[in-house]
Amino acid sequence: MSLTAGITSNIIEGTPSLRPSEALALHTETEREVLPNGLTLLVRRDRSAPVVSIVTQVKAGYFDETDDQVGIAHVLEHMYFKGTPTRGVGQIARETKANGGYLNAHTIYDHTSYYTVLPASSFVAGLEIQFDAYTRSVIDGEELARELEVIIQEVKRKRDTPSAVTIESLYALLHDRHRIRRWRMGEEEALRRFTREQVLGFYRHWYQPGNTILAVVGDVDPEMVRHEVMARHGTLRGETPSRPGGPQEQTLPGLRHREWSGDIAQQQIAFGWRVPALTHADSPALDLAGVVLGTGRASRLYRAVRERQLASSVSAWNYTSGDVGVFVAHAEAPAEQARAATSAMWRELQAAREDGLRDAEVVRAQRILEARWLRRLESMDGQAQYLASWEADGGLTAASRYYDALLSLDAGAVQEAMQRHLAPEQVGIVSYRPAGSTAIADDLETLHGMLRRGAAMGSAVMATPSLGMPRVAAADDGERPAGRDAEQAGVPTRVSFTRAEDDVQVYHTARGVPILVVHKPGAPLVHFGVFMRSGAVLDAPEREGLARLTAQAMLKGTATRSGAQIAEAAESMGSSIGVSAGLESVGWTMSVPTRHLEMALALLGDVVQHPAFPEDGVETERALALAEVARLRDDMYRWPMRLAVTAAYGDHPYARSTIGSETSLATLGREDVVAWHAAHVMHAPAVIAVVGDVDPQTVAALCAERFAEIAQAGDAPLSPLPWPDGRRAARDTRAKQQSALALMFPGPSRNDPARFAARVLSAIASGLGGRFFEQLRDVQSLAYTVSAFPVERRAGGAFVAYIATSPAREDEAREGLLREFARFREAEPSAEELQRAQQYLIGSHAIAQQSGGTVLGDLVDAWLFGAGLHERHEETTHIAAVTGADVMQLARRYLQPGLEAEGLVHGTGTAA
């Protein structure tokens, strides 16, 4: 029987006469029209889900700002949502929510994009809202003054993010004249000087039909879309703004270096080169070089730097925007390893440039990019964003050429591009290090000597014999070593069909592990994984982090594959093995083009059941976990959340850190992970799940064979979650421009019916158009980021609020959050608020089902933690049944003053 239920395209290994881009349906199914006024309309009908995405992309961004306007494009993006003559402040977001959708926007160097995603039935309403904002934004002066304070908070948040500061500092170092050299969101003093007239002038100049692309993708009739667009956008006067080019570089940069320090835990290191724009013939080759060097566990930099414990993360990429490009290699490393990490990165970069790449490395990169492309096109919004961005860069013809080049270039072409554009004498190097640590180099001459010595050594990983490209076994060629091994060991591999439940086919392995299969017709990728109800709650307090360490160390090798072979095999299918290790579950997942599913199942089955836990591999993951513990304190979202958790949960297992602590990780070793695997992976409450365009019976049989050794087992219930009496707080002080505050209250558990009221309360409070957003962000200008959400777990839940603000306004932010919670206790939400939140949640649920990964997650959550698979289809019914009285009752029960646990990172008001 065929593995797939439908027809799939074999892109790389396919018929030689076909170009790879011919397998991308939207390249041939998109209707394009330029309206008489110059606006470009792109429409594609996709019936795979009852969803529509509308993208309005204006070709105006940071590169279109003069030096006295830096940040104005981003300011206008914010003001776009602040009202029109017929829609007041907040009304745009509220109406979108009421129609079951969401909206957002982003500004980048060469464009600003506004997007909304809605149920397809709400298309006309969504289009009308976008059209109103596009053509009639008021740009009110008082609202502008308030919003500028919000934007300044966003700028401060970015200044508190070490990686963002590092990369923009690298761009500035590399360029003397080009506008990419500027801190793109603008600086505080200059932002405050913007007037309504300046913002309005920018708006009127650039937001013209001839400078705009409108992309619509979804379950909508193209002719109807055209009619509705013509009735609105077609009435606008046709104008195309003049576009004077920005200044260009006149000389080569030469070797450049900048190093500075700040209150950060991990050192940031980045190399960068000026490279050509997207339209240059070498851009696809440089994209491939970035993936070969820095994407995935099989990449050169990962193996030479991260695997050797020199850095906690390392990556490389080719970035292009407008008329410029930058090639970047970036690492985060413990300060004591920074010099060695810098040398090792340079060594690999130069070895690839001088000695070349293996063919297998390039094919691995091509498979990764192919799968990345398909993942982007899995949703309506991904497709619409794709269409708009490529239209701005030459259209789908250019997209096809680019995609075909990516998947056809060989190793020689990639090396030649690196030799042309990544010259060692033209590199910029930045280092942002923890205060008190030693500089990588005291001067440029010393740095140059260190790099020269490293480059002369050749690659540290190329000495490893080529692993080659794993072959995709045919369904009937008998290549099933894992299954044969299981049979030889006396492990039964049969599968039994249990029942069909709505769209889920339920099977069981011979050892009782359930297999859940959802046939998703037309899906380009298949998502699958194996999951256990276990996680960090099973770790003793002194062994925090053991579950995660075990789950990660399983990728370091099996009885028949090394860790490098595991990585190469996964990435050669365009995937990686995702590891999730939370408080209550662990899981390993993959998503691959369907043609690779059989081989991917064999690989994952080997990793989950037969880990070798090599001593050096376990030690590597333990060292990386220690680095992650240190890096956690640099995260102005996760760290206050962690502080709030420790304040709230005391000795309960929910207080466990999934990462671990410096103390606990120091005690863990190979024997610990071996024991944890045997007790909580091979014998566990487990489930295997698959979502894709597959034949359920065939896939279930393969899963039963590949995971035959896992035995289903029960688990012990968790003790109820106590909540402390009285306020609790945990606080830290950092040299940051913002303070970040997390307030945590008790909340409903995973299976408490009140959880639906908690979700509705969250939708009323949070997000664009929410109470917290409008009051604390729009009216008081306290923060760029404010949110509120429930946390649902088996033994008890929580309700959390988060805000980041200026240190001087910490008390005001705390009081504002508590005041908004009090409003929920004092009165029921209005009927309008309630209905809007319900429609938003119902629409968001439908929109999320586009993703096979989301379907997989919902499936597993319902099975492992819920009342059954039927929950997946009852979600919207439960949400629709919530009343205003339910919301107020929930607030009175859980969101009481004096019950909050606080996590605060107090900023001193200074940063890099």
Side-chain angles (χ1 to χ4, degrees):
M1 184 180 292
S2 170
L3 179 68
T4 59
I7 298 173
T8 59
S9 299
N10 194 326
I11 295 179
I12 293 180
E13 300 92 350
T15 306
S17 61
L18 294 178
R19 299 194 319 275
S21 59
E22 292 181 38
L24 301 176
L26 86 167
H27 279 211
T28 57
E29 295 176 359
T30 298
E31 299 183 19
R32 178 183 185 272
E33 179 179 358
V34 179
L35 274 56
N37 60 14
L39 182 139
T40 302
L41 174 63
L42 304 166
V43 185
R44 183 187 183 223
R45 186 171 201 167
D46 184 337
R47 293 187 172 95
S48 63
V51 174
V52 65
S53 174
I54 309 166
V55 171
T56 302
Q57 181 164 307
V58 181
K59 291 180 278 188
Y62 300 118
F63 288 164
D64 299 298
E65 304 164 341
T66 54
D67 282 351
D68 62 344
Q69 293 181 320
V70 176
I72 200 169
H74 179 240
V75 171
L76 179 54
E77 174 212 309
H78 280 240
M79 295 305 296
Y80 188 90
F81 297 118
K82 300 293 283 187
T84 71
T86 56
R87 290 179 170 87
V89 176
Q91 190 62 29
I92 288 172
R94 289 195 293 269
E95 281 192 34
T96 303
K97 268 190 171 180
N99 282 284
Y102 59 84
L103 54 79
N104 215 322
H106 68 264
T107 304
I108 194 58
Y109 293 109
D110 60 354
H111 71 267
T112 304
S113 180
Y114 304 91
Y115 59 92
T116 184
V117 186
L118 309 105
S121 58
S122 297
F123 165 70
V124 174
L127 182 71
E128 172 60 32
I129 293 167
Q130 274 222 17
F131 174 73
D132 193 26
Y134 171 71
T135 57
R136 295 192 286 265
S137 285
V138 172
I139 324 278
D140 177 77
E142 292 184 5
E143 284 300 325
L144 174 62
R146 280 192 285 268
E147 194 64 21
L148 285 172
E149 295 303 314
V150 170
I151 294 167
I152 287 165
Q153 292 303 320
E154 184 179 3
V155 170
K156 289 180 176 181
R157 184 186 71 163
K158 190 170 183 180
R159 286 288 192 188
D160 287 341
T161 306
S163 59
V165 172
T166 300
I167 298 306
E168 289 213 30
S169 298
L170 176 66
Y171 292 173
L173 178 70
L174 282 170
H175 297 87
D176 302 311
R177 293 168 53 83
H178 197 284
R179 288 170 176 169
I180 199 173
R181 76 188 190 283
R182 307 175 304 192
W183 182 253
R184 67 191 188 201
M185 290 172 64
E187 301 289 358
E188 182 173 349
E189 290 185 10
L191 287 168
R192 282 208 174 92
R193 290 196 295 269
F194 279 138
T195 65
R196 177 181 185 270
E197 289 68 31
Q198 287 175 302
V199 179
L200 192 62
F202 192 90
Y203 173 54
R204 288 176 174 168
H205 178 78
W206 292 109
Y207 283 53
Q208 300 292 342
N211 199 43
T212 302
I213 300 160
L214 182 64
V216 178
V217 176
D219 189 10
V220 288
D221 175 48
E223 187 54 40
M224 180 272 290
V225 171
R226 182 183 182 280
H227 172 78
E228 298 293 345
V229 170
M230 287 298 297
R232 294 168 176 80
H233 299 74
T235 64
L236 302 175
R237 189 173 66 183
E239 292 186 17
T240 301
S242 59
R243 188 181 298 277
Q248 299 297 308
E249 299 300 319
Q250 302 296 313
T251 60
L252 293 172
L255 178 63
R256 300 184 178 190
H257 171 232
R258 184 191 170 203
E259 191 158 4
W260 72 102
S261 64
D263 185 5
I264 60 174
Q266 291 268 296
Q267 188 148 340
Q268 304 280 325
I269 306 154
F271 296 90
W273 286 264
R274 296 181 198 165
V275 296
L278 180 75
T279 54
H280 193 280
D282 283 339
S283 282
L286 291 171
D287 280 355
L288 285 166
V291 176
V292 167
L293 288 164
T295 299
R297 291 171 176 260
S299 66
R300 293 247 187 136
L301 292 176
Y302 189 98
R303 292 164 64 188
V305 183
R306 190 178 185 276
E307 278 292 284
R308 299 183 181 202
Q309 303 174 33
L310 302 179
S312 54
S313 70
V314 64
S315 57
W317 65 90
N318 182 50
Y319 177 74
T320 59
S321 184
D323 59 358
V324 71
V326 182
F327 190 94
V328 178
H330 172 241
E332 295 187 23
E336 61 273 17
Q337 297 289 359
R339 186 172 296 177
T342 303
S343 182
M345 289 172 69
W346 185 253
R347 179 178 175 182
E348 295 305 320
L349 288 162
Q350 293 311 302
R353 182 180 183 272
E354 297 300 324
D355 302 329
L357 309 171
R358 296 172 178 154
D359 289 336
E361 290 181 291
V362 175
V363 174
R364 179 190 72 90
Q366 288 169 329
R367 298 249 177 91
I368 289 172
L369 288 170
E370 174 205 352
R372 184 182 293 173
W373 218 279
L374 294 177
R375 288 186 188 98
R376 182 180 183 186
L377 303 181
E378 195 174 26
S379 70
M380 307 302 180
D381 190 53
Q383 292 180 52
Q385 298 276 7
Y386 175 95
L387 291 175
S389 63
W390 273 108
E391 176 64 30
D393 287 320
L396 290 176
T397 300
S400 294
R401 284 197 303 267
Y402 202 91
Y403 188 70
D404 293 339
L406 280 175
L407 299 190
S408 63
L409 292 171
D410 60 19
V414 177
Q415 183 187 9
E416 289 170 6
M418 294 179 70
Q419 290 177 335
R420 278 191 287 271
H421 303 291
L422 307 186
E425 64 273 14
Q426 304 299 337
V427 69
I429 307 166
V430 298
S431 169
Y432 180 19
R433 68 180 190 272
S437 61
T438 304
I440 289 175
D442 294 328
D443 52 52
L444 199 59
E445 183 178 349
T446 302
L447 176 66
H448 190 254
M450 184 181 82
L451 297 181
R452 189 170 56 248
R453 288 190 296 274
M457 299 173 68
S459 172
V461 297
M462 284 292 282
T464 304
S466 176
L467 302 176
M469 292 299 298
R471 183 172 65 86
V472 180
D476 59 353
D477 70 356
E479 273 207 7
R480 296 196 176 120
R484 284 206 305 269
D485 289 348
E487 291 170 357
Q488 291 166 3
V491 178
T493 61
R494 66 182 180 274
V495 64
S496 58
F497 175 74
T498 305
R499 67 183 185 277
E501 192 167 329
D502 294 318
D503 57 339
V504 186
Q505 304 293 307
V506 182
Y507 303 82
H508 281 80
T509 70
R511 290 196 166 187
V513 177
I515 303 168
L516 314 177
V517 185
V518 173
H519 175 213
K520 197 170 189 290
L525 299 169
V526 58
H527 299 259
F528 65 95
V530 57
F531 308 86
M532 284 81 186
R533 192 167 58 239
S534 56
V537 293
L538 300 179
D539 297 340
E542 68 277 9
R543 290 175 173 265
E544 278 187 328
L546 177 55
R548 182 177 183 269
L549 178 62
T550 304
Q552 294 283 2
M554 287 163 61
L555 274 62
K556 293 302 184 183
T558 69
T560 56
R561 293 177 171 97
S562 68
Q565 287 173 320
I566 290 169
E568 284 209 9
E571 291 162 24
S572 295
M573 293 180 273
S575 185
S576 61
I577 298 177
V579 178
S580 61
L583 278 173
E584 298 185 288
S585 67
V586 293
W588 299 263
T589 58
M590 295 182 73
S591 62
V592 296
T594 312
R595 69 184 188 275
H596 296 319
L597 177 57
E598 186 169 354
M599 188 172 72
L601 284 168
L603 176 66
L604 192 62
D606 191 27
V607 166
V608 172
Q609 297 169 118
H610 311 130
F613 295 120
E615 198 79 53
D616 59 345
V618 174
E619 177 54 31
T620 294
E621 290 301 326
R622 193 183 69 84
L624 292 170
L626 284 166
E628 182 65 20
V629 169
R631 189 166 56 171
L632 178 64
R633 291 191 67 239
D634 281 342
D635 192 313
M636 291 292 281
Y637 181 83
R638 290 195 301 154
W639 185 232
M641 289 292 184
R642 178 64 194 153
L643 293 175
V645 165
T646 60
Y649 292 155
D651 295 330
H652 192 273
Y654 283 170
R656 305 282 189 272
S657 166
T658 57
I659 303 170
S661 67
E662 292 180 352
T663 302
S664 66
L665 289 167
T667 68
L668 301 179
R670 182 180 184 276
E671 65 280 6
D672 300 299
V673 299
V674 169
W676 203 96
H677 175 265
H680 304 301
V681 176
M682 297 307 293
H683 298 84
V687 63
I688 302 161
V690 183
V691 177
D693 192 0
V694 296
D695 176 73
Q697 178 65 39
T698 305
V699 168
L702 280 171
C703 289
E705 182 177 324
R706 298 306 191 187
F707 298 98
E709 297 163 64
I710 299 172
Q712 189 72 354
D715 63 342
L718 282 168
S719 58
L721 176 65
W723 199 265
D725 294 326
R727 291 185 175 94
R728 300 288 180 92
R731 299 176 179 176
D732 192 11
T733 298
R734 301 294 302 280
K736 301 290 185 181
Q737 292 194 7
Q738 284 192 313
S739 290
L741 171 69
L743 291 181
M744 179 178 288
F745 292 85
S749 66
R750 168 61 179 80
N751 290 307
D752 185 337
R755 72 186 185 277
F756 299 105
R759 295 178 195 177
V760 171
L761 189 153
S762 173
I764 294 171
S766 201
L768 286 168
R771 286 188 187 181
F772 286 19
F773 189 95
E774 292 189 351
Q775 180 62 38
L776 304 179
R777 188 183 187 277
D778 283 355
V779 176
Q780 295 179 245
S781 302
L782 274 169
Y784 170 72
T785 303
V786 58
S787 59
F789 53 91
V791 177
E792 301 168 6
R793 296 200 177 100
R794 282 188 295 162
F799 199 94
V800 185
Y802 171 87
I803 191 168
T805 190
S806 292
R809 304 186 75 183
E810 265 176 35
D811 292 341
E812 189 180 353
R814 182 185 297 104
E815 291 164 6
L817 288 173
L818 294 174
R819 185 169 56 250
E820 291 304 314
F821 280 125
R823 288 180 60 202
F824 282 107
R825 296 193 302 271
E826 293 162 1
E828 295 180 15
S830 68
E832 181 186 356
E833 280 185 308
L834 181 66
Q835 183 181 30
R836 182 167 62 242
Q838 289 168 321
Q839 289 300 110
Y840 168 72
L841 291 169
I842 291 168
S844 297
H845 178 76
I847 290 166
Q849 301 311 300
Q850 298 173 96
S851 165
T854 298
V855 174
L856 181 75
D858 290 349
L859 195 67
V860 171
D861 179 68
W863 187 275
L864 286 181
F865 300 108
L869 294 174
H870 57 86
E871 280 191 346
R872 297 171 54 239
H873 302 293
E874 296 171 354
E875 170 97 7
T876 56
T877 302
H878 287 301
I879 291 294
V882 172
T883 66
D886 293 332
V887 174
M888 187 170 70
Q889 182 180 358
L890 177 102
R892 289 179 171 177
R893 178 181 175 189
Y894 292 110
L895 308 181
Q896 288 289 340
L899 290 182
E900 67 270 22
E902 175 182 304
L904 173 68
V905 178
H906 170 70
T908 62
T910 60

